[in-house]
Amino acid sequence: MLLDFLQQRNSAPRLDSPAPDAVALQQMIRAATRVPDHAWLRPWRFISVEGDRRKDLGKVFEAALLKREPEAAENVRERARNAPLRAPLILVVVTRISEHPKVPSVEQRKSAACAAYAILLAAEAQGFAGVWRTGDNAYDPDVMAALGLNEDEEIAAFIYLGTRDGRSKAIPELSPEDFHSRW
Ligand SMILES: Cc1cc2nc3c(=O)[nH]c(=O)nc-3n(C[C@H](O)[C@H](O)[C@H](O)COP(=O)(O)O)c2cc1C
């Protein structure tokens, strides 16, 4: 049931092959492009990184780390280098900010966050799994430039995607009343 699906959704920190194929990915992007979007600005785009390109992204992450922290220890460098290898596919969700008299940039960022969530939902709906990651790399100008982002673009998410490796974790029981009030 759709409600169960929404209420049980959870991220998969450990991911293996197979990744969503081209058709599955297209479905995910179709879902992401139906998120709420004030004035239909389409403030998002998506970049796939897979196969050996993940190693290239790892080199970008390591170089960015060394620029931020020239003294970074080898194990920290190695972790940065290998980060993109944690999943067979990484989808970078890019926020495209444009000037609009009624739509401030914060609303465009919110729409991109919805798009990232839609990617996760649509992956899970097709039997795949994923996890939304950011970290320093998401805000690093060198990483953004290496990925080909323009001046008016930001990284909203690195969505790591694949097939869940292991069992899903226990989902915390949260009570709706704890998050709801009446005014
Ligand atoms: C904007 C954003 C950035 C995140 N960045 C990271 C990250 O860099 N590393 C990480 O392990 N989890 C990150 N998370 C959290 C995971 O995506 C995930 O939500 C969390 O592990 C809880 O799992 P759940 O989604 O199954 O509840 C981020 C979540 C959001 C919304």
Side-chain angles (χ1 to χ4, degrees), residues 9-12 120 131-135 139 156 169 172:
R9 181 217 67 85
N10 67 101
S11 308
L120 284 172
V131 59
W132 178 339
R133 295 186 191 277
T134 50
Y139 311 108
K169 61 182 176 296

Side-chain angles (χ1 to χ4, degrees), residues 11 13 20 25-26 31 34-35 62 67 69 71 73 81-82 96 103 106-107 113 116 130 142 149 158:
S11 308
L25 184 59
Q26 202 177 40
R34 273 310 306 139
V35 297
E62 185 181 11
K67 199 156 154 189
E69 296 173 37
E71 309 295 324
R81 195 161 60 235
N82 291 334
R96 303 171 58 228
V103 189
V106 63
E107 293 192 0
D142 288 351
L149 269 62
F158 293 105

